[in-house]
């Protein structure tokens, strides 16, 4: 089936390259690096050269607004999850969310994390919105599309049904059975330093699909 989130380059988030100001040959050296894990390797090379990648913005204004509908700080949370996914190789949404509980990228109070499960709550909201029709390039106002649920066939032929009328069960299924995926670097235009208005940015791509069984 199609990924829950696959907006191509529309789903890119931007990190500003701060720290040491890179000369053009240095930028070229970073962008020319090729490997089996080139996005993470370029990020680590930037770090070794004295650069710092600081979250800046969502590349597309519609996707930015859609993420803000979940929470005004949600783009920053998603950006941190993408960074950890690339550098640490953690892909499952549930495991990345657990990592956010420790990292606490939004610097919220411990009580919100431990008692209210803030990060888990926000990710479940986001995943359910995606399942019910949110798309990066389409204006989202909280209204569900014609999609009301999901039918899946298990490995032994059992049909599984998840519907928005049983919101908690649907959310739990999505939370435990989704993962971040790595889109094609060339196609989705991310994973390299590019200059905008005199500032270098490094983009990461958000793509989420169901765990394959």
């Amino acid at each position: 089936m199609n990924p829950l989130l696959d907006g191509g380059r529309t789903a890119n988030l931007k990190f500003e390259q701060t720290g040491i100001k890179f000369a053009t040959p240095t930028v070229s050296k970073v962008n020319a690096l090729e490997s089996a894990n080139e996005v993470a390797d370029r990020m680590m090379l930037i770090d070794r050269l004295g650069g710092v990648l600081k979250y800046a913005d969502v590349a597309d204004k519609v996707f930015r607004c859609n993420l803000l509908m979940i929470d005004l700080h949600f783009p920053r949370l998603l950006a941190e999850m993408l960074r950890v996914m690339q550098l640490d190789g953690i892909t499952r949404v549930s495991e990345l969310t657990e990592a956010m509980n420790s990292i606490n990228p939004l610097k919220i109070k411990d009580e919100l994390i431990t008692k209210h499960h803030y990060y888990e709550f926000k990710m479940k909201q986001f995943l359910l919105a995606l399942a019910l029709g949110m798309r990066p390039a389409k204006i989202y106002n909280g209204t569900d599309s014609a999609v009301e649920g999901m039918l899946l066939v298990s490995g032994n032929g059992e049909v599984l049904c998840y519907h928005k009328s049983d919101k908690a069960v649907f959310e739990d299924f999505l939370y435990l059975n989704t993962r971040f995926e790595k889109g094609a670097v060339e196609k989705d235009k991310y994973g390299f330093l590019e200059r905008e208005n005199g500032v270098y940015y490094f983009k990461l791509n958000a793509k989420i699909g169901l765990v394959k069984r």
Side-chain angles (χ1 to χ4, degrees), residues 5 7 9-13 57-70 75 126 133-141:
L5 174 61
R9 65 188 67 177
T10 309
N12 285 336
L13 281 74
D57 202 356
V58 182
D60 181 85
K61 64 180 182 180
V62 174
F63 189 43
R64 178 197 307 128
C65 290
N66 288 350
L67 295 179
L68 292 175
M69 289 292 286
I70 301 297
F126 180 53
M134 178 200 278
R135 296 294 176 265
K138 182 180 178 182
I139 293 175
Y140 176 72
N141 60 10

